[in-house]
Amino acid sequence: MGESIVRAIVFPGQGSQLVGMGQDFAEHHEQVAGYYQQASDVLGYDLAAVCFQGPQETLNLSHHAQLGIFVTSVAAYRSMELADKLPPVDYFAGHSLGEWTALHLAGVVDFEQTVRILQARGSFMQAACEDAKGAMLAVMNLSRETLDNIASEVGCYVANYNSLTQTVLSGGEQAIINAEEKVLQAGAKRAVNLPVAGAFHSPLMQRAADQMESFLADIELQTPHTPVYSNVTGLLHEPGQIAAKMVSQITSSVQWVACVQSLAAAGVEEVIECGPGKVLAGLIKRIDKQLAVRNIGQISDVQD
């Protein structure tokens, strides 16, 4: 492939964490190891130890997972840059917390500020979970229309439009129990209760959104040097509206299908997922088989 192709880089969200993530990047580049140290200095604990050594149960805690995935995604991107393997990038996008990674690498907010934002975001969301007990349910192979109707009927919400065959519902515990029964009756191939602390990307997170609005009021967000797609709309972020959209993101559905369709409509031919795991690559392939997808999840991916 020539370098004239249109390319996007995307960044994963919570759920992609795995013990050992980022360790080879940090060992290969002293500058990359410095990102883990810088984040640890802000957070007051050794983030590298949590990411590299685990255990998985500790890494799975929302605040550890979110910060660990962010720093590891930055580590993957910067490792490509340091190896002179970073190709021209036309667009950025990210899934949930990955959208903050995209905004950071597009120059909207610096590294330390992003760590502080994600630390606050995680604590606000955890407090909202304790306020309103919630649950999430991943549903396979039911149409968007059917799921929208079931959510409306039982009083839950669509949290993630992840692919054409995978959608996630979010809401109060009883609403999700009722939704599971109804989606299986409606012919869902599978329904999986997600191991999460609460009803993310739903109105049950309103308290967290309100706190995030106050928190972001003191932070100056810059205009992105590379266009970034919004989870809330599936369209490009507009300068001056980024803070408002990132507040809305906490209570809104993640429109990942729309983001990928917008990338394709913009002429994107290749998508690189930067960060741990291959969750987004799998979703993208199910949304648009024409898009070439590759991963930068470990140092060997950079060197290939």
Side-chain angles (χ1 to χ4, degrees), residues 49-129:
V50 174
C51 291
F52 303 166
Q53 296 154 30
Q56 189 71 44
E57 298 74 34
T58 302
L59 182 56
N60 284 347
L61 295 171
S62 284
H63 55 293
H64 290 157
Q66 291 193 32
L67 272 303
I69 291 166
F70 164 67
V71 178
T72 301
S73 298
V74 172
Y77 184 91
R78 296 300 184 200
S79 293
M80 275 200 294
E81 206 171 43
L82 289 164
D84 203 23
K85 292 287 185 77
L86 181 66
V89 183
D90 299 282
Y91 299 101
F92 284 130
H95 190 287
S96 194
L97 89 90
E99 191 173 352
W100 277 111
T101 315
L103 291 169
H104 161 59
L105 290 167
V108 173
V109 60
D110 70 25
F111 181 83
E112 185 173 316
Q113 284 177 318
T114 312
V115 170
R116 293 186 188 283
I117 288 167
L118 289 176
Q119 181 185 32
R121 181 180 185 268
S123 68
F124 298 157
M125 291 169 76
Q126 184 58 45
C129 290

Side-chain angles (χ1 to χ4, degrees), residues 16-28:
S16 292
Q17 66 273 7
L18 65 161
V19 172
M21 65 182 188
Q23 185 166 1
D24 55 348
F25 292 127
E27 289 173 350
H28 199 77

Side-chain angles (χ1 to χ4, degrees), residues 10 35 55 69 78 83 120 159 181 216 222 226 280 284-285 289 296 304:
V10 300
Y35 289 114
I69 291 166
R78 296 300 184 200
E181 186 180 327
L216 289 179
Q222 307 299 319
T226 302
L280 297 186
I284 290 164
K285 286 173 186 171
K289 292 181 171 58
I296 303 295
D304 286 349

